Amino acid sequence: QTHQGAGILNKKYPDVFFQGVKKPFKSVIDVSSGDPHKAGMPPISFIRQVMAVCLYPELLKEKSLPLDVRQRAQKLLDMCSGGSVGSYSTTSIGLPEVQKSISEFITRRDGGVLSHPEDIILTIGSQKGLSVFLNLLTSGEGKTQTGVLTPMPCPHTLPMLLDMTGLALVPYRLFEEQGWAVNLDELHRALEAGRVHCEPKAIYISNPGNPTGYVQDRETIEKVIRFAATNCLIILAEEVHQGSVYGQDKEFISYKKVLSEMGKTYAETMELVSFHSISTAYIGECGLRGGYMEVVNIDPAVKKCLNFTPSAPVLPQLALELSLNPPRPEDSSYNSYTQVRGLSYALEFLNRVEGMSCQPSMAGPFLYPRVHLPPHMVEEAKRLGVKADVLYCQRLLEEEGICVGAGCENGQEDKNYHIRHRYLLINNKINQFHRSFCEAMLTG
């Protein structure tokens, strides 16, 4: 019930969920969230096998398990106090060996730019880490209230999180006709508009974009860093989809890597916090709730406060270490670790649907197509007191049993309506529904 769309759906159509009313479908397919396992994607066997051995070390003797699985499990158990996942973390911010492993991953990822274990803080998912840091930013009221520049569309849980932590949301638009790219002129406009009612102190960046899938290039990142430095803004970089870049000729470049290559003026002074997670990474282990944040150039007093952040439980810490250090080509589990992705098919499918259009996605689990709705349907939504995209999602759920996210959940407030769903589960029912729904609305 934390999602606006889900709450509206339950209130408007409670029979779908609670009253056992017969529908033309056997079960609801939920493709609105970033939870791939809930949507039907099987977990990666390597991760689960190693976790199983860690939980029950007697399996170290089980020869039917791949050798690399048992070796990795033993290595992870050696990181734990007493060789058991039942022990506490040896520090409040995580297992030192896991911190070291993560810093080594970041150093490899960034082509040798050093990452330091003491800058890695293990968290209960990336959102919990973000929440902890946002709470440290909270101050003031009215025009002195701390503000955060926030992309629109944005992750659908972010506005609620900012509200819960007492921060002002300062929206900056991402333009669909520009492929959802960050626009520097729009950043300046948003900053000046925000200063009228609050004191902006941070800028939130989603790269690769959530839900748009846009991957920022080096030039864009440099512009954002200069903008943030000039205006004394901390950069909060959500980079949880960095391992799921599939756009042609696209690559993930971290904000930290670019920052380190812009000279000492930026590299040694610009404050940056980046977030990563096993929940929204391509392994999709949402239920384990593991993540980390890396803090760069953050004041020592702030870091000291972060050192009292409750770290993730031991098991998700180990799963995080596994996800960042997957099997190598020579390992017996390597082939089973890879997975097929069907993005190109899904994108082509949506753009063939009459009345839909979708910008190419470059990364992440979502597609964010625009749905072209007839004026009569928009008026019908107003009469019912809901947003037009929410009404569309309600009817799709009612008639086809497919639950997608409404664009207004992501901060989309203009007259262009969108839906959000996982590309792995594109369904021909959407095509059939969209055509019949719009025809019915046009005829009244």
Side-chain angles (χ1 to χ4, degrees), residues 328-345:
R328 294 165 295 187
E330 63 271 20
D331 293 332
S332 53
S333 298
Y334 177 77
N335 290 334
S336 64
Y337 191 83
T338 58
Q339 55 184 319
V340 177
R341 302 167 186 173
L343 175 74
S344 58
Y345 164 77

Side-chain angles (χ1 to χ4, degrees), residues 69-89:
V69 165
R70 289 175 282 139
Q71 289 174 335
R72 287 297 293 277
Q74 184 62 68
K75 181 179 179 181
L76 295 181
L77 287 170
D78 290 342
M79 296 180 180
C80 304
S81 296
S84 172
V85 296
S87 300
Y88 285 120
S89 287

Side-chain angles (χ1 to χ4, degrees), residues 99 171 174 188 308 326 375 406 424:
Q99 289 176 281
L174 305 176
H188 284 290
F308 291 99
L424 286 172

Side-chain angles (χ1 to χ4, degrees), residues 198-249:
C198 68
E199 188 176 346
K201 293 182 181 179
I203 178 171
Y204 179 94
I205 296 290
S206 180
N207 182 45
N210 179 357
T212 64
Y214 177 77
V215 178
Q216 296 180 17
D217 57 23
R218 182 180 297 272
E219 182 181 0
T220 299
I221 295 173
E222 288 180 354
K223 288 179 180 179
V224 172
I225 290 173
R226 291 192 180 96
F227 168 81
T230 300
N231 295 286
C232 301
L233 301 174
I234 298 172
I235 297 177
L236 306 175
E238 180 247 87
E239 299 177 326
V240 298
H241 295 307
Q242 61 184 265
S244 301
V245 175
Y246 33 70
Q248 188 173 7
D249 301 323

Side-chain angles (χ1 to χ4, degrees), residues 304-380:
K304 186 175 182 180
C305 290
L306 292 173
N307 285 339
F308 291 99
T309 302
S311 69
V314 169
L315 203 61
Q317 289 186 51
L318 301 185
L320 182 62
E321 200 280 340
L322 284 172
S323 71
L324 300 180
N325 297 282
R328 294 165 295 187
E330 63 271 20
D331 293 332
S332 53
S333 298
Y334 177 77
N335 290 334
S336 64
Y337 191 83
T338 58
Q339 55 184 319
V340 177
R341 302 167 186 173
L343 175 74
S344 58
Y345 164 77
L347 187 62
E348 292 171 5
F349 177 91
L350 287 174
N351 280 317
R352 286 199 306 268
V353 175
E354 186 177 354
M356 280 193 184
S357 58
C358 190
Q359 289 288 333
S361 181
M362 306 172 188
F366 296 118
L367 287 174
Y368 195 62
R370 179 180 174 184
V371 288
H372 303 266
L373 303 177
H376 184 74
M377 183 261 177
V378 177
E379 291 302 315
E380 174 73 3

Side-chain angles (χ1 to χ4, degrees), residues 26 48 65 128 142 245 264 287 307 326 329 357 366 378 413 439:
K26 293 182 179 180
R48 293 298 180 87
L65 289 171
K128 181 62 176 179
V245 175
K264 288 187 176 182
N307 285 339
S357 58
F366 296 118
V378 177
E413 293 293 341
E439 288 174 356

